[in-house]
Amino acid sequence: MQVHALSNAGLGRIVIKLSNPLQLFNTLDPAPFREKELATEAERYIADQAEDIAKAAPIQIVIHLAWAGSLDAIVPDLAPAVAQHFLLRAHEKSRELQVLFKSGRRSLIVGIAILSSCLAVGWLAGLVLGDGPLPDILRESFLILGWVAIWKPSEIFLYGWPAIVEQRRLFERLSAAVVVVAAVSEPA
């Protein structure tokens, strides 16, 4: 399989050359042809090439088949199968985002509770022990522990979700891509 991204006239084109249409799909997937998932390598190549295409440009996936078998039974199912695969991947990313935010909310509640407790214990240590290096060390130690407790929710809400949203958008774009199947005479 070879994949090339070409861009002409504002169209993002991904060209895939196959010797057998089944190369595009995961052969261990028992689902019917139209619902099969793409092979990991095929999905990765298509997604990598699509990332290089301008976000506003429509995507066209051109599949060149050099196959001796009958294309009549397979060609009508290729485009819906590719679209369905990327639509399912977009839904998976939406679900992953929901799970991430749920985990983030839970860890934020726990983190704020721990931070509040640590600040209170540090403040109490200062009141009970008075001034000096030991209360300062305890106060700062509890402050650091409290900030570490909110590290994970901060990471989730500040940095964790944008990559998932970007992947979901890419998969949505790919699910809407126009898939063209062309027969070629020489093997790929």
Side-chain angles (χ1 to χ4, degrees):
M1 171 174 42
Q2 296 177 339
V3 180
H4 305 284
L6 308 170
S7 187
N8 54 2
L11 177 70
R13 183 175 293 153
I14 301 170
V15 178
I16 304 171
K17 296 181 180 180
L18 303 171
S19 57
N20 184 329
L22 296 177
Q23 285 178 287
L24 195 58
F25 298 98
N26 179 354
T27 55
L28 297 177
D29 186 358
F33 187 75
R34 196 177 278 225
E35 297 168 13
K36 276 189 175 300
E37 52 177 53
L38 294 183
T40 305
E41 301 84 20
E43 178 188 312
R44 189 178 310 123
Y45 283 136
I46 292 170
D48 286 347
Q49 295 302 315
E51 285 176 346
D52 295 337
I53 297 171
K55 293 191 185 334
I59 297 174
Q60 181 183 51
I61 300 171
V62 180
I63 301 171
H64 289 283
L65 282 176
W67 194 46
S70 172
L71 294 177
D72 295 339
I74 293 172
V75 170
D77 289 337
L78 275 177
V82 171
Q84 180 67 19
H85 173 81
F86 286 114
L87 190 60
L88 286 173
R89 294 290 285 134
H91 288 298
E92 287 172 9
K93 289 299 171 181
S94 292
R95 179 73 180 128
E96 185 178 332
L97 193 61
Q98 290 173 344
V99 169
L100 181 71
F101 281 145
K102 183 178 181 180
S103 169
R105 286 189 298 270
R106 205 175 312 126
S107 57
L108 181 63
I109 291 168
V110 170
I112 288 175
I114 292 173
L115 175 62
S116 301
S117 300
C118 287
L119 291 174
V121 169
W123 176 73
L124 285 173
L127 283 178
V128 171
L129 299 174
D131 286 336
L134 181 60
D136 288 343
I137 291 171
L138 286 174
R139 224 181 353 261
E140 291 300 318
S141 297
F142 280 113
L143 178 64
I144 290 169
L145 178 63
W147 283 114
V148 168
I150 63 166
W151 184 286
K152 185 68 174 177
S154 299
E155 182 181 337
I156 289 171
F157 290 119
L158 295 176
Y159 308 111
W161 64 271
I164 297 171
V165 169
E166 193 64 31
Q167 288 176 331
R168 181 181 66 190
R169 285 186 188 137
L170 177 66
F171 290 143
E172 287 170 347
R173 284 182 67 207
L174 286 168
S175 73
V178 175
V179 178
V180 177
V181 180
V184 291
S185 56
E186 73 276 353

